[in-house]
Amino acid sequence: MLAALPEEIAGLVEQMSSRRVARWGQRDFHAGILHGQSCVIALSRIGKVAAAASAATLIHRFDVKAIVFSGVAGGMGPAVRVGDVVLAEALIQHDLDASPLFPRFEVPLLGQSRFKADPGLTGRLAQAVGAFLPRAPVLEDGSPPRLHRGMIASGDRFVSGDTERAALRRALPDLLAVDMEGAAVAQVCYEHDVPFAMVRTISDTADEHAAASFARFLAERAAPYAQAIFSAFLAP
Ligand code: ADE
């Protein structure tokens, strides 16, 4: 299991039994048992390179059979609000553009731009989110949080302005959310034939208020969301 921010893994690491810590590439990989399942938890840190390197280490050093990423994201779809949860069904790198040599978004020489999440793992995450959402805090307008499934785009940018947000929505009309890691991990998993799934809680809506909303969400809600969803995922 990977996450980009310390708040998202701290509680889970503490709950592990038989925990061993190995350090690779300036990262700690916590291997042990959580809810009866053998797993490795690591902090990828932020950005596509950090996430890809972490995923490759999990595959090569720990021989993991699947990778699940949990974290926060900026909401892009019109119905996606702060506090909602998004499950990735397809992932794309929105800042990858080798045109005119290759089509925009395509990973050069791999011939692919969208990477699919594993349907079985994603289904299990959906059940975990479904078990957690009825207990989750209501949104700012008093309505209950919702689960969305669809496309998430990743890039080495914190999207925080209406102009960039609108340009991304024009380029990728079915986009639900943006993050800074997911599609990089999805590409590494695709290249190694390792099943991958990702769950993201919406911390902001990638607009002018994104930085403040992100900071508030992280301080107040990111850890309990990640912990509750992962616990339900591992121990249904
Ligand atoms: N993760 C959370 N919010 C984000 C945003 N607005 N842009 C990119 N990654 C994010």
Side-chain angles (χ1 to χ4, degrees), residues 28-78:
D28 288 336
F29 290 81
H30 305 266
I33 310 286
L34 191 57
H35 297 291
Q37 310 236 23
S38 158
C39 59
V40 185
I41 300 180
L43 186 67
S44 67
R45 298 201 296 268
I46 297 171
K48 292 195 302 174
V49 173
S54 306
T57 303
L58 280 177
I59 293 167
H60 295 306
R61 298 275 176 193
F62 296 91
D63 200 23
V64 296
K65 299 293 171 258
I67 295 183
V68 177
F69 201 108
S70 152
V72 294
M76 296 294 284

Side-chain angles (χ1 to χ4, degrees), residues 72-74 157-160 178-180 200 203-204 206 210 214:
V72 294
R157 295 184 55 76
F158 183 77
V159 181
S160 56
V178 282
D179 69 20
M180 299 179 69
R200 294 269 181 181
S203 58
D204 61 88
F214 175 88

Side-chain angles (χ1 to χ4, degrees), residues 10-232:
L12 290 166
V13 167
E14 273 165 28
Q15 286 173 25
M16 275 184 135
S17 58
S18 315
R19 182 163 65 93
R20 291 171 287 115
V21 187
R23 198 160 167 81
W24 295 103
Q26 301 184 28
R27 288 174 186 81
D28 288 336
F29 290 81
H30 305 266
I33 310 286
L34 191 57
H35 297 291
Q37 310 236 23
S38 158
C39 59
V40 185
I41 300 180
L43 186 67
S44 67
R45 298 201 296 268
I46 297 171
K48 292 195 302 174
V49 173
S54 306
T57 303
L58 280 177
I59 293 167
H60 295 306
R61 298 275 176 193
F62 296 91
D63 200 23
V64 296
K65 299 293 171 258
I67 295 183
V68 177
F69 201 108
S70 152
V72 294
M76 296 294 284
V80 179
R81 302 151 311 156
V82 172
D84 280 352
V85 178
V86 178
L87 281 175
E89 285 186 336
L91 300 100
I92 193 165
Q93 297 176 49
H94 68 72
D95 58 351
L96 183 45
D97 187 359
S99 61
L101 303 179
F102 298 90
R104 186 177 179 193
F105 305 127
E106 184 173 302
V107 179
L109 307 182
L110 196 60
Q112 186 149 333
S113 50
R114 291 183 187 224
F115 296 91
K116 285 203 179 80
D118 180 76
L121 277 181
T122 306
R124 277 181 54 201
L125 275 177
Q127 283 180 351
V129 175
F132 161 70
L133 277 187
R135 291 181 282 116
V138 292
L139 307 188
E140 233 162 39
D141 64 3
S143 62
R146 285 200 297 253
L147 171 63
H148 309 265
R149 293 172 73 146
M151 187 164 71
I152 297 185
S154 312
D156 283 320
R157 295 184 55 76
F158 183 77
V159 181
S160 56
D162 287 332
T163 311
E164 185 174 7
R165 184 179 199 283
L168 276 174
R169 290 197 57 206
R170 267 196 309 277
L172 297 165
D174 50 344
L175 188 57
L176 289 181
V178 282
D179 69 20
M180 299 179 69
E181 298 84 18
V185 177
Q187 180 183 330
V188 172
C189 287
Y190 169 82
E191 289 169 349
H192 291 85
D193 206 17
V194 170
F196 167 75
M198 183 169 82
V199 58
R200 294 269 181 181
T201 307
I202 300 302
S203 58
D204 61 88
T205 42
D207 53 13
E208 267 74 15
H209 312 290
S213 179
F214 175 88
R216 195 170 346 113
F217 194 87
L218 216 67
E220 292 166 11
R221 287 200 263 164
Y225 265 77
Q227 211 161 310
I229 293 170
F230 253 98
S231 300

